[in-house]
Amino acid sequence: MEDQVDQESLVIQLRNAFLQQNLEPFDSRDISKIRNEDRAVLAYLMNSHFNLEKAYNMMTESLKWRKSFGVNDLSKDSFSEELLNDPYLYFKGYGKNGEPLLIWDVKRHKKGNTSINAELKQCLAFMLDHREGAKEYQKVIMLFNMSGCGLSNIDYDFIKYLISLLTEYYPDILDNLLVFEMPRLLSAAWTIIKNMLDEDSRDAIKFVNKTEVLDYVEKDQLPLSLGGSNESDATSLMDMETEELTDKKQ
């Protein structure tokens, strides 16, 4: 009971501190969410281990980013037919505790394709925003499918952005980040990436093979391409609606 009281007190303190500043850099829709939804405020506290100053700074930077990135105005119409019809970032299957599984097929990523990669950043923000707004909120498992990748697929800036998105801009949405079947030749590249991240972000990353991934996801929930037996359709931008993301694994 005491812990609950402390959490409630910190939520009030963080909300009041945020609302007392100049609110011009923020989207009015996000301000309304902070003002009215305890869950939205608590997520920043949990992600900062209930350090009020750290939570305040994270909330401020996150909500500034949301306005500058235009997150609240993104829709399916924001994306090209190429990304809509042939996605390589998609929801498919669930973790052992019902967490939606978000898969990125890294082999198809080309770091020199500036326009597509910028669009992919928006795509991920759009998908996470709908997941976060689902009626039955649940953390996600992000899986980087690294099988068959080479150095041309490793985009340091994009991966750093992606991990920051999952750990800072959408606090408390990430359950685990699984790096699946990473080729040995990319070990040095991942060492560089991990050194670019803070400790909490590094701790979220788990390197797994086809056997170890089963500690997090049952075989019948993994796609065939990952050694599983899940033949269901992926949920991509074409059918991305909040209501469709509320159904947990039955």
Side-chain angles (χ1 to χ4, degrees):
M1 178 65 71
E2 184 177 347
D3 288 345
Q4 183 177 351
V5 172
D6 289 343
Q7 285 189 19
E8 291 174 356
S9 174
L10 286 170
V11 165
I12 293 170
Q13 291 180 60
L14 179 56
R15 173 183 285 126
N16 289 341
F18 176 80
L19 294 175
Q20 286 170 8
Q21 66 178 306
N22 174 20
L23 299 178
E24 187 176 347
F26 311 108
D27 189 304
S28 60
R29 290 161 288 188
D30 292 326
I31 296 170
S32 177
K33 192 173 181 180
I34 295 300
R35 182 177 280 120
N36 298 307
E37 297 182 23
D38 286 353
R39 187 183 82 180
V41 180
L42 184 60
Y44 291 99
L45 286 164
M46 293 179 68
N47 202 48
S48 60
H49 308 291
F50 293 93
N51 180 311
L52 193 58
E53 182 179 0
K54 185 177 179 181
Y56 173 83
N57 291 334
M58 184 182 296
M59 177 185 286
T60 299
E61 291 306 310
S62 170
L63 298 187
K64 283 181 179 177
W65 167 82
R66 287 180 61 83
K67 183 174 181 179
S68 66
F69 209 67
V71 174
N72 288 318
D73 296 316
L74 292 173
S75 69
K76 286 187 290 187
D77 294 335
S78 305
F79 305 104
S80 65
E81 289 296 319
E82 179 181 354
L83 201 58
L84 289 171
N85 295 325
D86 190 19
Y88 53 98
L89 179 68
Y90 51 89
F91 282 103
K92 185 167 184 174
Y94 296 85
K96 286 192 171 182
N97 295 315
E99 314 95 326
L101 183 61
L102 179 58
I103 300 170
W104 178 33
D105 288 331
V106 183
K107 183 179 179 179
R108 297 181 56 196
H109 183 89
K110 301 299 181 184
K111 60 185 177 184
N113 197 336
T114 306
S115 60
I116 288 294
N117 293 345
E119 189 179 21
L120 196 62
K121 288 181 179 182
Q122 292 183 317
C123 166
L124 181 59
F126 175 67
M127 296 177 83
L128 290 177
D129 217 53
H130 279 67
R131 179 64 258 167
E132 188 181 51
K135 294 175 182 177
E136 296 183 26
Y137 175 76
Q138 200 154 16
K139 293 186 178 186
V140 304
I141 294 175
M142 178 83 201
L143 188 148
F144 290 4
N145 178 14
M146 302 289 294
S147 55
C149 286
L151 287 172
S152 64
N153 306 117
I154 303 300
D155 185 337
Y156 295 111
D157 290 339
F158 184 83
I159 292 174
K160 184 181 179 182
Y161 161 83
L162 196 155
I163 294 173
S164 295
L165 198 69
L166 290 162
T167 58
E168 298 174 22
Y169 295 156
Y170 288 90
D172 203 42
I173 201 170
L174 182 66
D175 186 74
N176 281 293
L177 197 162
L178 307 181
V179 180
F180 179 80
E181 291 284 327
M182 186 185 73
R184 287 188 178 183
L185 65 88
L186 299 181
S187 296
W190 266 98
T191 298
I192 294 172
I193 291 167
K194 291 184 75 172
N195 288 337
M196 295 165 64
L197 306 173
D198 61 29
E199 184 177 354
D200 287 342
S201 298
R202 290 195 297 269
D203 290 344
I205 301 172
K206 308 288 190 303
F207 293 87
V208 297
N209 56 31
K210 287 185 178 180
T211 300
E212 294 162 338
V213 72
L214 299 178
D215 292 338
Y216 304 91
V217 185
E218 298 286 2
K219 188 172 183 178
D220 65 355
Q221 292 297 311
L222 279 173
L224 298 176
S225 59
L226 303 181
S229 56
N230 184 356
E231 298 184 66
S232 65
D233 293 334
T235 301
S236 61
L237 288 169
M238 284 297 288
D239 41 32
M240 179 62 64
E241 296 292 347
T242 299
E243 291 77 13
E244 294 177 13
L245 293 177
T246 60
D247 296 327
K248 299 181 187 176
K249 173 184 171 184
Q250 299 297 318

